[in-house]
Amino acid sequence: MEAYKRVKANRGTSGIDDVTIADFESDLKGNLYKIWNRMCSGSYLPPAVKLVEIPKSNGGKRPLGIPTVGDRVAQMVVVMTIEPEIEPHFHEDSYAYRPKKSALDAVEKAKDRCYTFHWVLDLDIKGFFDNIDHELLIRALERHVKCKWAMMYIKRWLSVPYQLKDGTQVERTKGVPQGSVVGPILANLFLHYTFDEWMRRNHSNISFERYADDTICHCVSQKQAEFIHRAIKKRFAECKLELNEEKTKIVYCKRNHRNIEYECIQFDFLGYTFRPRRSIDTHGEVFLNF
């Protein structure tokens, strides 16, 4: 029941069965009993995920996987079970899908650090959610999730196919559907080991903010930004991810009396554009700061 209340609060559309939240609630007790009964016996088999393609600003399309309402309830049960085991291990500068953290917190921290560090590496991962490697993800899960039935159902959700409008089903061998309930914590855990923990171990001198797959790193020089760019590119390749080099960029984010010129002086982070603004110091000199 608690899982259903959370699913209802998140709203969302129907899955392949066309059952809405209102439809599900018309026989709430019976529907929840069926899910509980099947999950307890180990016989719960998730239905296919409805594939919906959302237009992107660049003309492309973003695939969203919409589970049925009942399946979202089942996923929420598992999330509520595994989250207490995983959440305490996450990095303090990981902000997405976490209690008492938000996108605005990440933006505020980024703004503060831009005053201190003159260079930013703005990272863009090519098709992150669609390219999460299942074997690496399961290895990460096994480090934290001790509940065997939760692991069993997560593995089933990872292999559930997409279903197209015409009823055709597309098999999946990698990735986590955007739109699923269990997807956010799985994606966070994958990047925790792929990026956050790796940065902490190997490049703890470089600060960053990460919100899901949106990440910026703060550097003291162009040389350091170029170095960490190469290192992250290599690290992601090891974890079967790829940087989108057309969108990944090094940004000079402060103007001082030396008037350093650099081709890229603005970046977008979580819907906010960071760019220089004019300000005048007490001596009447004009500076460009973020």
Side-chain angles (χ1 to χ4, degrees):
M1 179 61 75
E2 179 59 30
Y4 171 73
K5 289 177 181 178
R6 296 191 187 188
V7 168
K8 183 180 180 180
N10 291 335
R11 301 181 181 179
T13 186
S14 59
I16 62 169
D17 59 1
D18 293 324
V19 174
T20 65
I21 290 177
D23 296 332
F24 188 89
E25 202 166 50
S26 65
D27 185 18
L28 182 59
K29 185 177 180 179
N31 287 325
L32 292 181
Y33 174 79
K34 289 176 185 177
I35 297 170
W36 171 81
N37 190 25
R38 291 169 185 170
M39 291 188 78
C40 285
S41 65
S43 61
Y44 178 77
L45 298 174
V49 175
K50 181 169 71 174
L51 181 64
V52 178
E53 293 186 318
I54 307 298
K56 297 171 65 176
S57 58
N58 62 3
K61 294 183 177 180
R62 184 187 305 278
L64 293 181
I66 311 298
T68 64
V69 174
D71 195 42
R72 298 207 294 272
V73 173
Q75 290 187 33
M76 186 62 78
V77 170
V78 169
V79 168
M80 291 166 60
T81 301
I82 68 174
E83 187 175 55
E85 300 173 329
I86 296 176
E87 166 63 28
H89 298 278
F90 285 154
H91 194 282
E92 63 178 350
D93 283 314
S94 169
Y95 291 88
Y97 322 124
R98 299 186 61 192
K100 299 180 181 180
K101 285 182 177 286
S102 69
L104 288 178
D105 293 330
V107 170
E108 188 67 25
K109 179 63 71 172
K111 185 183 73 172
D112 290 344
R113 285 172 173 162
C114 280
Y115 286 119
T116 304
F117 302 97
H118 292 195
W119 297 85
V120 162
L121 173 62
D122 180 13
L123 297 170
D124 188 274
I125 305 174
K126 185 179 291 185
F128 168 64
F129 282 89
D130 296 329
N131 290 296
I132 294 175
D133 184 79
H134 289 176
E135 182 180 349
L136 292 176
L137 175 58
I138 289 171
R139 281 169 54 186
L141 283 163
E142 288 174 341
R143 296 189 65 171
H144 301 283
V145 179
K146 306 306 177 185
C147 179
K148 293 183 179 179
W149 63 264
M151 281 295 299
M152 176 182 70
Y153 286 126
I154 290 172
K155 290 177 181 178
R156 290 183 186 179
W157 281 311
L158 289 177
S159 61
V160 164
Y162 283 130
Q163 183 164 308
L164 309 182
K165 287 183 179 180
D166 62 2
T168 303
Q169 293 194 352
V170 180
E171 297 301 318
R172 295 172 46 251
T173 58
K174 61 181 180 178
V176 174
Q178 283 185 272
S180 65
V181 172
V182 75
I185 194 169
L186 299 185
N188 247 357
L189 183 64
F190 189 84
L191 277 179
H192 171 74
Y193 284 108
T194 298
F195 181 78
D196 304 354
E197 184 65 11
W198 175 79
M199 287 287 287
R200 186 190 66 80
R201 292 196 313 267
N202 299 282
H203 306 285
S204 59
N205 59 318
I206 297 179
S207 301
F208 66 87
E209 296 85 38
R210 181 177 68 79
Y211 191 92
D213 58 330
D214 290 327
T215 307
I216 57 173
C217 300
H218 300 271
C219 302
V220 297
S221 66
Q222 181 180 353
K223 184 177 180 180
Q224 186 184 57
E226 291 170 346
F227 165 78
I228 197 63
H229 182 190
R230 292 191 299 269
I232 291 171
K233 183 177 180 179
K234 180 180 178 182
R235 171 61 177 172
F236 278 6
E238 293 170 350
C239 298
K240 303 181 182 180
L241 293 177
E242 182 181 357
L243 283 178
N244 184 337
E245 294 295 348
E246 292 183 359
K247 294 184 178 181
T248 295
K249 56 188 177 183
I250 294 172
V251 183
Y252 181 65
C253 64
K254 197 166 187 177
R255 295 276 178 153
N256 58 22
H257 63 281
R258 289 173 296 177
N259 197 28
I260 296 174
E261 295 294 338
Y262 193 70
E263 62 181 4
C264 191
I265 58 170
Q266 74 174 48
F267 63 94
D268 294 328
F269 184 52
L270 303 178
Y272 289 83
T273 298
F274 286 66
R275 59 174 172 262
R277 60 178 175 80
R278 288 188 176 274
S279 62
I280 301 177
D281 73 355
T282 55
H283 301 289
E285 296 182 74
V286 176
F287 293 89
L288 288 169
N289 297 303
F290 275 71

